[in-house]
Amino acid sequence: MPIMGKYYVFYGYDLLSPEALGQWNVARMIGELISDNAGMCRFHRAWGEPMAEQLLANHRGLPADYNERVKRLAQELFAAEEAASRFWETPA
């Protein structure tokens, strides 16, 4: 499950506008979904994410449009009614 702040923290020195930071977060979320769903160690994401689609197609027989499928998954997660912000329920 994507959780903002899990691995989406921007450690750069630049001060980003909210829009630019949001775009960076979305790109990072898609990258993390690609590596998480492919079973890759996140410490190898620098080389693994760009090669994930090719690796999964060649070695796992998965469709060649893996990255596009992950992007659609991210859109569906964002559009889901359950994704709306709300207060956490606490035990009574």
Side-chain angles (χ1 to χ4, degrees), residues 39-90:
M40 285 190 276
C41 173
R42 67 179 298 267
F43 296 110
H44 296 280
R45 64 185 174 197
W47 67 267
E49 286 173 10
M51 296 178 59
E53 193 168 61
Q54 180 184 0
L55 290 169
L56 293 170
N58 291 342
H59 298 287
R60 298 270 175 100
L62 293 178
D65 64 343
Y66 177 75
N67 290 355
E68 287 303 316
R69 288 174 182 240
V70 172
K71 288 177 186 176
R72 283 196 306 269
L73 171 65
Q75 289 174 336
E76 289 172 15
L77 289 170
F78 177 73
E81 185 177 321
E82 300 85 32
S85 297
R86 62 183 178 273
F87 290 106
W88 288 7
E89 293 184 24
T90 58

Side-chain angles (χ1 to χ4, degrees), residues 17-36:
S17 68
E19 293 83 11
L21 182 59
Q23 291 171 346
W24 185 90
N25 281 334
V26 169
R28 189 68 250 132
M29 176 183 163
I30 291 169
E32 292 293 338
L33 283 172
I34 287 170
S35 58
D36 284 351

